[in-house]
Amino acid sequence: MATLVHELVWPDRVVVGTVGSPGSRSFYLQARSGRRLVSVALEKEQSALLAEKIDEILDHLMTTDGNPFSVPSSTPIELVDNEPLEQPVEQQFRTGTMSLGWDPSTVQLVIEMFPIVEADADDRDPFDDADEERDDTVEPSEMVVVKIPVGTARAFAKRTREVVGAGRPLCPFCATPIDPEGHTCVLPDGF
């Protein structure tokens, strides 16, 4: 079966946002092109790592002789997007694997997201050695590809870092999140 590709090139909007209150937030990458809206669920850690890697790629490209791709060092003010996710948030899938790349022909960062795919372990015979050598690569049924220019990528990374950092405050003593109901520290020395 062929993989269904949801491709958004030069989207009108691409952001990471959340649904829910700190401590029980669900993270989504949402991209819109015209009337087409795609929302993909992802983990907080995936969001943070995506922002970090985007900035690393942009910083590297910026150091190229003469900055031929016009990569901005900070977020262009006209690209700041602090609006909430568009409602209703209808999850396309939950992200498993993601890849991040650079397309020099269009001067865009390319984000690819694939759903979590679980191999069907019920079909395995535990006593068949041939089953262990079998390739368990499962073709995903769908994927999302978002291609964004460098300024939008810089704005996306900044917003994503802000969204990730807007969760529960960290305890200054044990560095674990403080719940709204309260917090009990367990310090390294056991007190």
Side-chain angles (χ1 to χ4, degrees):
M1 181 167 110
T3 301
L4 174 62
V5 179
H6 306 278
E7 186 174 42
L8 295 105
V9 180
W10 299 94
D12 300 321
R13 183 175 196 227
V14 59
V15 294
V16 165
T18 61
V19 173
S21 57
S24 60
R25 298 185 297 170
S26 296
F27 284 74
Y28 294 92
L29 185 148
Q30 192 175 71
R32 179 179 41 80
S33 260
R35 291 184 170 185
R36 186 169 176 213
L37 181 66
V38 176
S39 301
V40 179
L42 63 164
E43 296 297 323
K44 178 180 181 178
E45 293 78 14
Q46 288 175 308
S47 304
L49 188 58
L50 180 59
E52 178 185 327
K53 295 301 178 186
I54 285 174
D55 275 338
E56 282 180 19
I57 288 173
L58 294 174
D59 291 346
H60 176 74
L61 290 169
M62 213 169 71
T63 63
T64 305
D65 283 341
N67 190 5
F69 304 113
S70 301
V71 177
S73 59
S74 61
T75 302
I77 193 71
E78 66 274 9
L79 297 177
V80 172
D81 182 345
N82 291 322
E83 296 300 313
L85 294 174
E86 295 181 38
Q87 299 295 323
V89 177
E90 295 177 4
Q91 176 179 312
Q92 195 70 42
F93 57 78
R94 176 160 288 287
T95 303
T97 304
M98 293 191 319
S99 70
L100 182 61
W102 171 249
D103 184 350
S105 66
T106 61
V107 190
Q108 292 178 310
L109 265 96
V110 181
I111 303 168
E112 295 178 335
M113 295 166 283
F114 302 89
I116 295 172
V117 179
E118 296 180 20
D120 193 1
D122 295 337
D123 293 340
R124 288 186 165 209
D125 180 351
F127 302 105
D128 185 356
D129 291 337
D131 260 0
E132 288 183 22
E133 296 173 14
R134 160 180 92 178
D135 181 17
D136 280 334
T137 305
V138 178
E139 188 75 23
S141 59
E142 60 185 324
M143 68 182 285
V144 171
V145 178
V146 181
K147 296 182 178 185
I148 54 177
V150 293
T152 301
R154 194 63 93 180
F156 173 87
K158 180 181 185 294
R159 176 193 165 113
T160 300
R161 283 192 311 279
E162 291 169 354
V163 167
V164 167
R168 296 173 288 174
L170 296 179
C171 173
F173 303 110
C174 67
T176 58
I178 300 172
D179 291 323
E181 301 83 40
H183 174 73
T184 304
C185 280
V186 179
L187 298 175
D189 58 3
F191 294 101

